[in-house]
Amino acid sequence: MTEKTYHQKPVDELTFTDDGMFQAVMRNPDICAELVERLLHIKVGHVEYPELEKTIKPFYTTKGVRLDVYLKDNDKIIDVEMQSYPQDDLGNRTRYYQSMIDMDSLMKGQDYTELKESYVLFICKNEPFYKDAENKNPYGLPCYTFQNTCKESNEVNLNDKSLKVIYNASAYKQEKDEKLRAFLHFISTNEPGEDDFSKRLSKIVEQTKDNEKFRSDYAAMNLHDRDIMRAAKKEGREEGAQQKAEEAAINLLKMKILSDEQIAQAQGLTVEKVQELKTQLEAEKK
C-alpha cells in the first residue's frame, strides 16, 4: 500500500475556515467580537487574547489543548474552534476543552466561586451529529446548544455558568436568523454573498494572503506539522515492527524449541524482553 504524503495547501488557496487563516483573521478584536456576538447572542465589551492558539498544560499531565481562539471578556471566557473536517467524539472534545479552561483559571489562584461564564463555541463545516453509527442519518440542525440541566425537571438549572454551542454550516438553509444564515452560508461555500460581515471576512482573508509575515509564519507552521507527521509515521512503523517481533517470539516460545537467547537474536529483541514474554505466557496458563 502506498503511503500517503502530506500536501501543504498553498497560501493563495486558503479560505477563512482553514487552519492558520482562521486564527490570523480572528486576531482582529473587532472581527472576533462581532463573530462571537453574532453566534452566541451575547455582548462582548472587551476582547483580550491571553494567548492565541493557547496550550493549556496542567502540571499533572503532558496532554495539552491547542485552542484555536482563546479570549477573555470582563466576565466571560470564550473558546472559538473552527472544524473544517469531521471530528470524532466531539462531545468528549468539548468536555475536555471546558475542563482545561477551568483548570487554567484555578491554577492562577482563582477560587471556583470566582469562575467566569465559560463558552465553548464550535463552528463545523460538516454535520457533527447523526442518528446512527454509520453517519448516514444526520439530525440536520444548523445549531446545537448544550447546557447542564436537571433530567427530572428542565426548570432546574445547574447554573455552572458554562455553555457549549456547536454550529453546523452545512445546514445553513435551515437557519431562520438572516445574519446567522448568511454567515453559515459563507462558512459552507466560501461565498460571502451580500452579507456585510461575510464580505469583510472575505476581504481580510485576501489581504492576509498578501501579508509577507503571515506567508512566512504559515510556511513555518506547515513545516512544523510535516515534521510531526513524519515522526508519528516513523514511530508507528517502529511500533508495528516491535509488535510483530514480539508476536513471533511468543510463537517460538510456545514451540519450546529454541532458547531465550536464540529467540532474542532471531527476532531482534533483548533477552530480558523474551523472558518477560515467557513470564506473561506462563501467567496466562494459570
Side-chain angles (χ1 to χ4, degrees):
M1 182 174 65
T2 304
E3 188 178 272
K4 291 183 179 180
T5 57
Y6 177 83
H7 295 286
Q8 175 184 348
K9 191 172 186 178
V11 173
D12 294 332
E13 295 181 10
L14 293 177
T15 67
F16 175 64
T17 62
D18 286 314
D19 192 30
M21 180 59 74
F22 176 71
Q23 292 91 339
V25 175
M26 292 291 280
R27 287 182 185 274
N28 183 318
D30 293 332
I31 289 292
C32 192
E34 186 167 348
L35 183 145
V36 168
E37 289 179 351
R38 180 176 291 209
L39 298 185
L40 293 181
H41 310 290
I42 59 175
K43 186 66 178 176
V44 178
H46 167 72
V47 175
E48 172 192 345
Y49 300 95
E51 185 180 337
L52 211 57
E53 288 192 34
K54 182 184 176 76
T55 299
I56 300 174
K57 290 186 177 178
F59 64 91
Y60 58 83
T61 179
T62 58
K63 183 173 177 60
V65 178
R66 193 188 76 172
L67 305 179
D68 280 352
V69 179
Y70 180 71
L71 59 97
K72 291 183 180 181
D73 190 18
N74 295 326
D75 58 351
K76 307 176 189 70
I77 297 178
I78 306 166
D79 169 37
V80 186
E81 301 290 328
M82 177 64 71
Q83 297 294 318
S84 57
Y85 54 90
Q87 288 282 359
D88 295 330
D89 297 323
L90 192 58
N92 287 337
R93 185 182 294 266
T94 62
R95 174 182 172 183
Y96 188 65
Y97 281 24
Q98 178 68 63
S99 67
M100 292 298 100
I101 290 171
D102 291 341
M103 184 58 66
D104 182 55
S105 297
L106 292 174
M107 287 180 65
K108 293 177 180 177
Q110 197 175 16
D111 187 79
Y112 72 89
T113 59
E114 302 174 285
L115 288 174
K116 298 181 179 182
E117 292 180 22
S118 176
Y119 298 84
V120 176
L121 170 62
F122 272 74
I123 306 169
C124 303
K125 289 189 68 173
N126 307 103
E127 171 66 57
F129 299 110
Y130 290 83
K131 300 177 184 179
D132 54 81
E134 291 77 22
N135 291 353
K136 295 181 180 179
N137 193 7
Y139 282 97
L141 298 177
C143 182
Y144 302 87
T145 303
F146 301 93
Q147 190 171 30
N148 288 325
T149 56
C150 179
K151 185 176 181 179
E152 289 72 20
S153 174
N154 291 334
E155 295 180 0
V156 182
N157 195 309
L158 189 60
N159 197 28
D160 60 353
K161 299 190 293 185
S162 67
L163 192 72
K164 301 175 182 69
V165 181
I166 301 174
Y167 276 94
N168 169 25
S170 67
Y172 67 87
K173 292 180 181 180
Q174 311 304 321
E175 176 55 54
K176 296 180 180 179
D177 183 286
E178 183 179 351
K179 289 186 176 181
L180 280 176
R181 184 170 61 252
F183 175 76
L184 294 178
H185 174 266
F186 172 60
I187 296 298
S188 180
T189 66
N190 196 40
E191 298 175 0
E194 298 302 317
D195 179 58
D196 289 340
F197 183 56
S198 298
K199 287 195 288 187
R200 285 170 59 201
L201 291 174
S202 183
K203 183 177 180 181
I204 294 174
V205 167
E206 295 306 314
Q207 292 173 341
T208 304
K209 292 178 184 179
D210 294 330
N211 184 288
E212 289 302 322
K213 185 178 186 308
F214 171 79
R215 298 177 78 92
S216 176
D217 290 345
Y218 178 73
M221 178 185 72
N222 279 277
L223 179 61
H224 174 65
D225 288 347
R226 285 200 299 274
D227 289 342
I228 291 176
M229 291 180 69
R230 289 194 191 101
K233 289 178 180 177
K234 180 180 179 182
E235 183 178 349
R237 288 194 294 267
E238 291 175 349
E239 288 180 356
Q242 176 76 10
Q243 183 177 354
K244 289 180 179 179
E246 291 179 9
E247 290 174 353
I250 290 173
N251 289 332
L252 290 172
L253 285 168
K254 290 179 179 179
M255 295 171 65
K256 298 181 179 179
I257 297 176
L258 302 177
S259 66
D260 295 350
E261 290 77 9
Q262 289 173 320
I263 293 175
Q265 184 176 6
Q267 299 304 323
L269 300 172
T270 64
V271 175
E272 290 76 15
K273 185 61 182 180
V274 173
Q275 292 173 345
E276 179 185 329
L277 295 172
K278 180 188 287 186
T279 301
Q280 292 176 4
L281 275 176
E282 293 172 350
E284 292 173 0
K285 294 178 182 179
K286 295 180 180 179

